[in-house]
Amino acid sequence: MFKRKFYDEMLEWKNRDQGASALLIEGARRVGKSTIAEAFAKREYDSYLAIDFSEAPQEVLDLFRQYRQDLETFFTYLSAYYEVNLVPRHSVIIFDEVQSFPPAREFIKRLVADGRFDYIETGSLLSIHQNVKDIVIPSEEQSGELNPLDFEEFLWAYGNEQLAYAIRDSFEHMRPLPSALHNKAMRLLREYMLVGGMPQVVEDYIKQRDFGSADRIKRRILNLYRQDVAKYAQGYEAKVMAVFDAIPAQLSRKEKRFRITSIGKNARMRDYRDSFFWLSDARVTNNCYNSTDPNVGLGLNEDEAKVKCYMADTGLLSALTFADRKTTPASLYKDVLFGKLAFNEGMFVENLVAQQLRASGHRLFFYSCGNHEDKYGAMEIDFLITREFENSAMKARISPIEAKSGIRYGTVSLNKFKEKFGKRVGMRFVLAPKPMVVDKAAECITLPLYMAHCL
């Protein structure tokens, strides 16, 4: 298993809660939830028992129905069936793909109260109606999100731990990397932008160094997502697929906002809200909403009618973008990698930044004002995050972020944003394919794109 930052969160949960809650690992299909749960169980407990509810036999499911009030018999039969010796306070039970059997999730309340063992649940699509229908969602769950590998984790997997450390150290001390390391980091970032962070894809690429082989795996994952839409989005699957298929075209537009009328001239956002929620809940997309009056509580002024819909993994975005042919040859990926093919790189760069910010724990917001009568004029800010600001005694302020795919650009919108919102604004950032430039007097820092995960 690759080294994952989420493992430390799991360890913190185990040591802090001591069985007082169950850990619920949410994430997209094929993001590595089962792998990290079993690896954690093997390393941190004397024994473990894992039930995959997507394929559990009926006799196991019956145990959850027949022995809810008799835990002694329940554990005896469960241990005997899986031939595992469960040790009180030293064993963990994994409920894998728990959305496939909602009664098991509801049972967590009683199991946690019993206190004999620890419990880890994994799942996706945990909020849609059919997966919570007729059950009481337990308050004893501690939820955590497992994302695709971010760029730092990709470097660890690639065997570039020292470069990953150098990038982190450079960011923390605000000093540029030497040019040789900067160039190496940018080259690896471009590979990451095309490969993405889905563990199975990364593993294959590291072994084979073959973009074509990685593309085939990405296409299988995309097909799995389509099958999930057909299975779980019943009644509005056509709308979900319409949004999903339109993502590359929407991101290729200059302002990146999802124009719902592109699906159909009579389409209205209110009719597609459930579709955007479904894709986000499945962790297929990272949705970014307009914050109309940005303050440190960015979600207080969220406009759900204005949304940018990024793919949760940039590697999957590349496969979806090139899906107009049955297979995508490795040569095409290499032409993109080495800049020999003209294409809209901005969409991939912005999607990559969204992925890194999401992996760092940020909800995604942007700012858009198209009112030319406003004295500050129209402006568009790619991302907004809240961050401590040293010029305000380390109090939280809004940090606007612009993502740039080229080395020549302007900062007009960043300057207007500072003028309009004044003391609400902290350090401003530009993420671009160039070395770090720190201008503390102007309260603006240019960071190389490979530092997006540091914010």
Side-chain angles (χ1 to χ4, degrees), residues 396-431:
R397 294 291 183 265
I398 307 165
S399 279
I401 300 171
E402 288 277 81
K404 306 293 184 180
S405 59
I407 59 174
R408 294 182 178 85
Y409 51 82
T411 59
V412 174
S413 287
L414 283 178
N415 297 337
K416 287 182 180 179
F417 190 83
K418 177 68 174 178
E419 292 173 18
K420 182 170 185 175
F421 294 105
K423 293 183 179 180
R424 299 186 196 179
V425 182
M427 190 63 72
R428 295 170 294 156
F429 293 96
V430 177
L431 288 163

Side-chain angles (χ1 to χ4, degrees), residues 5 8 85 100 127 145 175 184 234 265 289 308 372 377 396 444 447:
K5 296 175 184 178
D8 292 335
N85 181 34
S100 298
S127 299
E145 185 174 15
R175 60 181 179 226
K184 181 178 181 179
Q234 295 174 8
K265 64 179 182 179
Y289 293 98
K308 293 192 286 187
H372 292 273
C444 187
L447 293 177

Side-chain angles (χ1 to χ4, degrees), residues 235-422:
Y236 57 105
E237 60 267 35
K239 291 181 179 178
V240 175
M241 285 312 309
V243 172
F244 179 73
D245 288 333
I247 290 173
Q250 296 295 317
L251 291 180
S252 68
R253 299 171 62 240
K254 181 180 178 180
E255 66 275 13
K256 307 292 190 295
R257 290 202 313 273
F258 201 105
R259 185 179 294 167
I260 200 69
T261 52
S262 66
I263 294 177
K265 64 179 182 179
N266 295 319
R268 297 292 180 268
M269 181 58 75
R270 63 177 178 270
D271 299 322
Y272 282 82
R273 278 202 177 97
D274 287 346
S275 301
F276 285 99
F277 171 78
W278 193 98
L279 289 167
S280 176
D281 189 51
R283 303 304 194 269
V284 172
T285 63
N286 288 326
N287 295 345
C288 181
Y289 293 98
N290 185 31
S291 184
T292 57
D293 186 21
N295 212 320
V296 289
L298 290 167
L300 295 176
N301 298 288
E302 176 182 304
D303 181 2
E304 291 187 350
K306 292 182 179 179
V307 59
K308 293 192 286 187
C309 191
Y310 300 105
M311 287 293 290
D313 180 69
T314 305
L316 294 181
L317 174 63
S318 68
L320 189 61
T321 300
F322 302 140
D324 56 338
R325 53 196 302 181
K326 188 175 180 180
T327 60
T328 304
S331 59
L332 187 149
Y333 277 103
K334 289 179 180 178
D335 286 345
V336 172
L337 178 67
F338 295 112
K340 296 180 180 179
L341 180 68
F343 79 115
N344 187 347
E345 191 165 327
M347 63 185 282
F348 291 99
V349 166
E350 196 166 315
N351 199 99
L352 181 144
V353 172
Q355 181 176 345
Q356 305 312 294
L357 294 176
R358 193 72 184 88
S360 298
H362 296 289
R363 288 185 63 201
L364 299 182
F365 295 94
F366 70 99
Y367 179 74
S368 177
C369 177
N371 183 4
H372 292 273
E373 296 180 0
D374 187 298
K375 69 176 182 177
Y376 297 102
M379 73 177 93
E380 184 102 12
I381 302 295
D382 295 332
F383 300 102
L384 303 174
I385 63 173
T386 55
R387 200 168 182 272
E388 287 70 31
F389 185 39
E390 61 181 31
N391 291 356
S392 296
M394 298 308 291
K395 293 181 180 179
R397 294 291 183 265
I398 307 165
S399 279
I401 300 171
E402 288 277 81
K404 306 293 184 180
S405 59
I407 59 174
R408 294 182 178 85
Y409 51 82
T411 59
V412 174
S413 287
L414 283 178
N415 297 337
K416 287 182 180 179
F417 190 83
K418 177 68 174 178
E419 292 173 18
K420 182 170 185 175
F421 294 105

